Structure formats: C-alpha cells, structure tokens
C-alpha cells in the first residue's frame, strides 16, 4: 500500500531543500495576499518530534496571515493529540486514511472493501477524543474525506463541536440544510434551558439571595454547596 510509504511529513523532513522551496513559495503568495489567511498542513504525522521539526521550518518563513497545522489521519496522531495540540493552530481529520489505518483495510483493495467503514465505532471514538482535546486547547478542527458528506457523521461532528466540515459538491446543499436544522434545534434547546433557569430563579428567591450573598465573597457563579467541587463545563453545544 503506497499510502503507508515514503510521503507526507516524513518525505518533507528527509528532503529539507524541497520543503524550504515549497514554504518559500507559499510565503510569497501569502505576502501578496495579506488580507487572506493561509494554513500550512503536514500529513502522515506519527510523532511529536516530526511536528516540532516541521514547525521549525515553518517558523523561519511564517507571516502574520499564516497558520501551522497537521492532518490527523493515523491512530498514532490520535493517541498523542494532547501533545500535538500544544504545537499547532489547527488540525484536520483525514478520514479516508484514518479509517484504513485503524481498520487495517486497504481502501484500494476490492477484496476487503466490504470491511471499509468510516462510521465504525473506533473512528467515532478517535474523532471524539481529538475534538475534545482541541476544544480545550483552543485548536481549530475540521474534516476532509468522504465521511464529511455522510449525515450520521455530520450530526456527530456538529454535536461534538467541530469548527468546519468539507463535503463533496453533490452533498453540499443537503449537508448545509442538515446543519441549519441542527443549529436551530440547538438554539431552541438553549432558549428552553434559559427559560427554565429563570423560572427556577423566580420560584426560589431565597436560594437566589443566598447565592448572591455568596458571590459577594468572591465566589461568583458558585453556591456554598459547590465550594469543594471542581466545576467543569463544555462550551457551546459540546455534550461530553
């Protein structure tokens, strides 16, 4: 399988002259289009050392409108995402390769195509882990590949809080309508939660007054019963 061979970040780092020339060319375009944002993304990552080395070359030529990122398409990258996220501005899932590497299924081999499944639970689990980590570390997330055009995957990604989704042209309208409906559903749910909290506040004035008194002591947003608890919340629509 050539996808397991000498390409991606491993090829670039073995040929620094080629890599520097490519980066200089991108820098030239970025400098000429300062109003636009350019993301340079390295594929086939399996180690943190690769990411750091590639970043050194990037730092030598970067401009204010350039960002550094990697493709998450190997199980190895998923497992070390906590460390990778400290080095990058963004990541993008390469679901085609992530699927074949995770399931040990060559996507170009007709004999095993029946086993190739981008909606396999193991794929969902890995994507969830990466998005969760990146949200905590303020790293932008996106997805490319066939999976981004599938309704089940789109809904999963939306609910986990991915920043953007790339889809096939023939699926763009259908996916955009699905996201529109999901956004409306999410907004309605949030409005209902706010109304419920307001109703509870009005029905429990003594408890609300107690909370206000406690807030004056420098414990804003916490009741006395919560002082010894660590409160964590997932921003926006993340339900983890």
């Amino acid at each position: 399988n050539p996808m397991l061979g000498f390409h991606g970040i491993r090829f670039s780092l073995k040929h620094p002259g080629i890599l520097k020339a490519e980066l200089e060319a991108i820098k030239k375009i970025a400098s000429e289009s300062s109003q636009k944002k350019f993301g340079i993304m390295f594929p086939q990552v399996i180690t943190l050392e690769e990411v750091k080395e590639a970043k050194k070359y990037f730092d030598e030529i970067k401009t204010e409108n350039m960002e550094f990122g990697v493709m998450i398409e190997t199980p190895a990258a998923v497992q070390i995402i906590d460390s990778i996220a400290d080095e990058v501005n963004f990541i993008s899932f390469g679901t085609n390769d992530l699927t074949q590497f995770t399931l040990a299924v060559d996507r170009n081999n007709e004999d095993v195509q029946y086993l190739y499944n981008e909606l396999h639970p193991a794929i969902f689990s890995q994507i969830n882990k990466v998005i969760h980590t990146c949200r905590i570390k303020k790293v932008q997330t996106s997805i490319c590949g066939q999976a981004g055009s599938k309704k089940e995957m789109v809904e999963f990604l939306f609910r986990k809080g991915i920043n953007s989704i790339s889809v096939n042209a023939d699926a763009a309208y259908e996916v955009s309508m699905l996201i529109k409906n999901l956004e409306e559903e999410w907004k309605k749910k949030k409005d209902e939660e706010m109304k419920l909290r307001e109703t509870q506040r009005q029905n429990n004035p003594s408890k609300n007054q107690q909370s206000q008194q406690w807030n004056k002591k420098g414990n804003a947003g916490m009741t006395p019963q919560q002082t010894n608890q660590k409160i964590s919340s997932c921003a926006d629509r993340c339900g983890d």
Side-chain angles (χ1 to χ4, degrees):
N1 187 333
M3 297 308 295
L4 294 171
F6 192 44
H7 71 104
I9 194 171
R10 57 189 64 164
F11 179 89
S12 294
L13 295 179
K14 285 290 186 179
H15 298 85
I18 296 176
L19 175 58
K20 289 180 179 179
E22 292 173 336
L23 292 175
E24 286 292 344
I26 297 172
K27 177 184 179 180
K28 180 179 179 181
I29 300 300
S31 299
E32 294 172 353
S33 306
S34 58
Q35 74 282 6
K36 296 182 179 180
K37 182 179 294 186
F38 291 78
I40 297 181
M41 180 169 62
F42 287 82
Q44 202 72 2
V45 169
I46 62 170
T47 70
L48 179 62
E49 288 71 25
E50 289 175 328
V51 177
K52 288 184 174 181
E53 188 174 352
K55 191 176 182 181
K56 289 179 181 178
Y57 288 106
F58 171 81
D59 287 341
E60 292 176 0
I61 59 91
K62 70 177 180 180
T63 59
E64 291 184 359
N65 60 331
M66 293 171 64
E67 293 186 337
F68 177 77
V70 298
M71 182 83 80
I72 302 298
E73 57 187 344
T74 68
V78 173
Q79 293 304 313
I80 61 172
I81 187 58
D82 189 67
S83 297
I84 289 177
D86 290 332
E87 304 294 333
V88 301
N89 303 117
F90 68 93
I91 67 92
S92 181
F93 293 102
T95 54
N96 293 342
D97 282 338
L98 183 61
T99 300
Q100 75 166 336
F101 296 154
T102 300
L103 303 184
V105 174
D106 184 348
R107 59 188 172 118
N108 295 318
N109 186 334
E110 294 182 1
D111 294 334
V112 292
Q113 280 304 295
Y114 71 98
L115 294 171
Y116 187 86
N117 178 18
E118 294 158 324
L119 304 181
H120 189 286
I123 305 303
F124 281 120
S125 177
Q126 291 182 92
I127 290 175
N128 178 49
K129 172 183 173 65
V130 172
I131 293 178
H132 179 72
T133 300
C134 288
R135 286 176 64 87
I136 292 174
K137 300 203 171 188
K138 310 300 182 185
V139 173
Q140 294 289 299
T141 55
S142 63
I143 186 172
C144 58
Q146 300 296 323
S149 299
K150 298 183 177 181
K151 287 186 176 181
E152 185 177 346
M153 178 62 78
V154 170
E155 182 169 354
F156 174 82
L157 294 170
F158 176 87
R159 297 194 185 284
K160 295 304 176 182
I162 199 167
N163 296 110
S164 65
I165 301 174
S166 296
V167 302
N168 295 335
D170 59 354
Y173 177 76
E174 189 175 11
V175 170
S176 64
M177 292 305 296
L178 172 59
I179 292 177
K180 178 177 181 293
N181 292 335
L182 289 170
E183 288 179 336
E184 291 175 350
E185 174 190 316
W186 175 76
K187 185 177 184 302
K188 181 179 179 181
K189 181 180 178 181
K190 288 298 180 182
D191 289 342
E192 291 174 348
E193 291 176 351
M194 290 182 63
K195 290 178 181 178
L196 178 60
R197 285 196 294 268
E198 179 62 21
T199 300
Q200 292 174 335
R201 186 187 68 80
Q202 293 176 354
N203 292 338
N204 296 277
S206 58
K207 183 177 180 180
N208 184 55
Q209 183 178 8
Q210 181 186 35
S211 296
Q212 291 178 343
Q213 292 174 346
W214 189 254
N215 289 344
K216 292 178 181 179
K217 297 180 180 180
N219 299 285
M222 299 180 65
T223 63
Q225 291 76 17
Q226 295 172 325
T227 53
N228 294 320
Q229 299 177 1
K230 288 186 178 180
I231 309 301
S232 64
S233 63
C234 189
D236 301 329
R237 58 182 175 274
C238 182
D240 291 338

